[in-house]
Amino acid sequence: MPANPFNGHTDYGIGIGLRVPHYRHILAEKPTVDWFEIISENFMVDGGRPLEVLDRILEQYRVVQHGVAMYFGSADKLDCEHMRRIKRLVKRTNTPWLSDHLCWGSVDGRFTHDLLPMPYTFAAAKHTAQKIRAARDILEVPICVENVSSYAEYHVSEMTEWEFLTEVVERADCGILLDVNNIFVSSQNHNFDPLDYVNHIPHHRVGQIHIAGHSKFERYILDTHDHPVLDPVWKLYEHAIRLTGNTATLLEWDDRIPTFDEVHGEALKANEFIERVESCAA
Amino acid sequence: MESVRELKELQRLMASMLFRPLDAKWRMQRTTAAGARTADAAAGFIKPNDRLTSFERLEIYNRQYWFRVLDCLYDDYPGLRAILGERKFMRLCRAYLVKYPSASFTLRDLGSRLEKFLRDEPDWAAPRAAMALDMARFEWAQIVAFDGPSKPAITMDDVLDTPPEKLRLGVQPCITLLALDHEVDHFLQAVRKRDGDVLRGEASNAIDHAPKSAGKKSRLRPPRIAKVFLAVHRCENELYYKRLDPVAFQLLAGLRDGLTLDTACALALGGNPDPALAGELRSWFSEWSELGWFCKFSKLQSP
Ligand SMILES: [Fe+2]
């Protein structure tokens, strides 16, 4: 959906992740970019260069916050100090919506710094949804939760991943950040059809889409964000926007990062698929 | 699974297996901390698939955890690494992280308890324990100076009206004052020159490589033994470290700890009536206030 309650009724186009190796180029050349996604945690600091750079970016560009450590799926309660820090950043960036992952990553105050898969159970969905609602109430901004890529499944799971995602977002009444690369990676690792996933989620809740590259190993695929987007992921993207409409799209490139132009050029390839879908619909 | 309690139990179980160190070949250990077979423990909660066993699926996460945290310390502590050598550095990091797993949402804080660990368990850095401790403190101070908090700076003009016997000045909280026994500042410069600076990657949730390997590097002479007084600070958001005269250091440390200007000066001068020193004192103060080192004193910031 181009604009919906879950992305703050905005109609952002194609953006890229704001990454350290590109700072100098962006600040000096001021290239045209529809929007940047920032990793919230990188800017949840008390001072210094990161906030100076962010403020200069905010003077020129639209910025959306993407978190990696709210851990909605962790059994622990939301951390109040963490929420205070995010809220301070929300006020700074004026982000129209924010996203974090449908995963867990910490327990008893110890952090794995990973995005770990959830057991797909009703109890877990209920708990996760409650935390998302609580976070939205504190932060006062729409929240989209992102599906993660995974390499393991639990015996206790009671449903598919897309059913779990649906259960959580319906209960929380929140948005979805649909990562089509993650769907593809997980479909290969867990032997399901990625189209089944994309077909069976509530499309009206998709507020943003992620695309990215991954690495194929002999027996599994790893979500490494260090390559251009692969063909099957573009195909899945095209299928997704047929169902969701032209939705704010962001390319993630986090490792072995090439030049700014290369990353931005890769992101803009999404336009081909958007145009194709729109011409079919017309 | 019926409840949040059961969810927590599952997460505790999995976390305990991820936090368990890898073996010498960077693989998941065959036995758990409790002495059970890891394969059985993994099979108890992780499904296998047609290509990977439960053990192998869990191992992906176990390896990712260790590669990520070790990579982080590897990047944050190049000086410590050069002092200890790569193998001893890795052994130290592993022991440190077993005792102090990350307790913060950000990897930035991962080394926050390394100083304490090196004080409590110096054997991990023997026979260079004292040198390693100096370097670990110095490198942590740089992390604090890079993005730690700062307050509005005050200048000497702002406080002219307060008599010195009543005047308390705060030192910016992002500044660390260090009294060290080794010339770790010169040593770190030599390390940086040798290695070139490395940028840390950002936020994919996957790491597919073992921590960076040493490669062939020229050996550096270890830091010389000498009393060194340093202020690690930032100026216009650039990181700096500045050597201080011992008297200057004592003065700043006194102010940081809440002494009045009068008392801090008297203590630092130690009854030395040298008139040249009084002139120097004035020039230090004007330099420090120009650098924005002073802020309003608050009790909370004194250690
Ligand atoms: Fe993503």
Side-chain angles (χ1 to χ4, degrees):
Chain A
M1 300 294 129
N4 64 31
F6 310 110
N7 55 28
H9 301 283
T10 56
D11 56 355
Y12 285 16
I14 297 164
I16 63 171
L18 181 68
R19 299 293 179 260
V20 177
H22 297 154
Y23 283 179
R24 201 183 295 270
H25 175 85
I26 296 165
L27 295 174
E29 307 294 327
K30 303 183 174 51
T32 304
V33 182
D34 198 57
W35 58 289
F36 282 111
E37 185 182 77
I38 60 164
I39 304 291
S40 302
E41 284 74 8
N42 290 351
F43 300 93
M44 285 157 63
V45 295
D46 294 311
R49 174 57 46 86
L51 293 179
E52 181 202 324
V53 170
L54 178 60
D55 287 343
R56 289 177 63 190
I57 295 285
L58 285 166
E59 283 168 17
Q60 306 267 346
Y61 296 100
R62 307 191 286 193
V63 163
V64 176
Q65 278 178 233
H66 178 54
V68 294
M70 250 194 290
Y71 300 137
F72 293 127
S74 281
D76 293 343
K77 287 200 208 94
L78 286 176
D79 179 327
C80 292
E81 174 53 28
H82 191 69
M83 299 309 291
R84 257 194 296 277
R85 279 179 178 266
I86 299 178
K87 181 136 191 183
R88 215 180 303 152
L89 189 63
V90 166
K91 286 190 175 148
R92 195 175 200 118
T93 62
N94 251 318
T95 186
W97 77 94
L98 69 74
S99 57
D100 205 316
H101 300 81
L102 183 53
C103 72
W104 70 280
S106 63
V107 63
D108 300 320
R110 291 172 169 202
F111 291 76
T112 67
H113 301 284
D114 206 340
L115 308 170
L116 300 170
M118 295 297 297
Y120 306 133
T121 71
F122 289 98
K126 190 174 157 200
H127 169 75
T128 306
Q130 275 166 358
K131 282 179 75 175
I132 296 168
R133 278 180 178 273
R136 187 184 47 217
D137 290 348
I138 296 168
L139 300 174
E140 299 177 292
V141 64
I143 292 179
C144 291
V145 289
E146 176 179 356
N147 57 295
V148 297
S149 52
S150 65
Y151 318 106
E153 302 156 288
Y154 305 95
H155 289 303
V156 290
S157 285
E158 296 157 355
M159 58 190 111
T160 63
E161 185 187 333
W162 55 93
E163 286 164 346
F164 182 74
L165 173 65
T166 303
E167 182 74 17
V168 169
V169 296
E170 295 289 355
R171 277 176 177 273
D173 190 18
C174 70
I176 296 173
L177 193 184
L178 192 69
D179 188 317
V180 287
N181 179 59
N182 287 349
I183 293 176
F184 182 77
V185 168
S186 294
S187 74
Q188 299 291 297
N189 290 336
H190 307 312
N191 300 326
F192 64 78
D193 182 345
L195 296 180
D196 277 344
Y197 196 127
V198 176
N199 289 342
H200 290 102
I201 52 161
H203 303 122
H204 67 285
R205 291 189 180 275
V206 177
Q208 184 191 334
I209 297 179
H210 266 176
I211 47 177
H214 58 251
S215 302
K216 207 168 159 77
F217 292 83
E218 203 182 321
R219 290 181 300 160
Y220 57 93
I221 294 190
L222 213 51
D223 175 31
T224 44
H225 297 183
D226 62 350
H227 281 76
V229 181
L230 279 87
D231 275 345
V233 176
W234 280 127
K235 284 209 180 81
L236 201 55
Y237 174 70
E238 184 178 345
H239 184 77
I241 56 174
R242 254 181 234 291
L243 298 167
T244 64
N246 176 7
T247 303
T249 297
L250 185 119
L251 171 71
E252 298 180 287
W253 202 317
D254 296 317
D255 212 353
R256 292 183 252 256
I257 301 174
T259 62
F260 173 87
D261 287 334
E262 219 171 306
V263 173
H264 195 213
E266 182 67 18
L268 293 177
K269 285 184 194 164
N271 276 325
E272 292 168 32
F273 300 93
I274 293 167
E275 279 161 23
R276 196 144 74 201
V277 168
E278 281 176 348
S279 69
C280 285
Chain B
M1 179 181 288
E2 303 292 325
S3 65
V4 182
R5 192 177 50 76
E6 285 169 68
L7 177 65
K8 189 156 200 158
E9 273 165 24
L10 178 77
Q11 294 180 345
R12 275 189 182 139
L13 171 65
M14 182 149 163
S16 74
M17 297 180 83
L18 302 191
F19 288 144
R20 182 139 170 86
L22 301 173
D23 70 12
K25 289 182 178 152
W26 302 106
R27 313 300 311 195
M28 186 153 78
Q29 294 198 47
R30 303 274 140 186
T31 53
T32 67
R37 268 168 43 96
T38 310
D40 295 341
F45 70 107
I46 304 268
K47 280 185 202 168
N49 71 3
D50 53 351
R51 287 155 288 162
L52 297 168
T53 63
S54 307
F55 179 98
E56 287 167 327
R57 294 183 115 183
L58 190 62
E59 186 182 44
I60 295 173
Y61 288 106
N62 185 210
R63 281 160 57 96
Q64 276 196 172
Y65 169 73
W66 281 98
F67 293 169
R68 179 176 285 115
V69 286
L70 290 174
D71 246 3
C72 171
L73 293 176
Y74 189 97
D75 286 349
D76 286 351
Y77 290 90
L80 182 60
R81 181 154 48 85
I83 284 174
L84 296 178
E86 308 268 337
R87 284 171 68 130
K88 195 176 272 186
F89 175 77
M90 284 297 178
R91 274 203 295 271
L92 164 75
C93 290
R94 185 179 123 137
Y96 166 64
L97 291 164
V98 167
K99 185 154 182 186
Y100 295 112
S102 173
S104 163
F105 69 93
T106 166
L107 283 169
R108 179 257 190 212
D109 296 336
L110 197 60
S112 64
R113 291 171 291 180
L114 192 54
E115 176 182 343
K116 179 173 167 38
F117 182 75
L118 282 166
R119 282 188 199 283
D120 294 346
E121 301 192 28
D123 285 355
W124 291 105
R128 292 182 167 177
M131 208 183 277
L133 178 62
D134 273 1
M135 184 57 93
R137 293 177 67 205
F138 178 45
E139 294 192 300
W140 175 250
Q142 292 173 55
I143 292 171
V144 173
F146 177 70
D147 60 10
S150 65
K151 297 177 175 179
I154 56 172
T155 64
M156 287 298 110
D157 289 349
D158 296 333
V159 295
L160 270 181
D161 296 338
T162 317
E165 67 274 15
K166 288 205 171 146
L167 180 58
R168 284 191 166 82
L169 288 168
V171 176
Q172 290 290 0
C174 60
I175 297 178
T176 307
L177 302 171
L178 295 168
L180 305 170
D181 297 312
H182 302 83
E183 292 191 317
V184 290
D185 52 343
H186 291 170
F187 182 74
L188 187 60
Q189 271 168 359
V191 172
R192 290 235 166 92
K193 210 167 143 197
R194 185 191 64 180
D195 297 352
D197 270 339
V198 196
L199 273 172
R200 193 192 310 165
E202 285 192 57
S204 149
N205 68 340
I207 293 183
D208 66 340
H209 51 85
K212 299 156 191 117
S213 67
K216 271 264 176 278
K217 284 177 185 167
S218 60
R219 262 180 178 276
L220 294 168
R221 228 179 250 279
R224 280 218 331 242
I225 296 178
K227 272 274 171 219
V228 176
F229 299 93
L230 285 177
V232 184
H233 67 109
R234 67 171 178 251
C235 184
E236 292 178 351
N237 290 329
E238 291 290 345
L239 190 76
Y240 293 97
Y241 36 92
K242 182 176 169 58
R243 282 207 181 191
L244 298 171
D245 180 281
V247 178
F249 175 85
Q250 223 189 342
L251 187 53
L252 277 169
L255 292 171
R256 175 200 61 193
D257 296 343
L259 300 181
T260 61
L261 184 58
D262 229 14
T263 317
C265 287
L267 208 70
L269 293 172
N272 185 343
D274 184 355
L277 212 52
E280 212 156 4
L281 219 84
R282 260 192 299 278
S283 76
W284 288 338
F285 268 100
S286 70
E287 188 190 2
W288 297 336
S289 71
E290 223 164 278
L291 286 168
W293 284 11
F294 296 120
C295 57
K296 248 177 102 175
F297 178 77
S298 76
K299 277 204 174 119
L300 276 175
Q301 76 164 97
S302 74

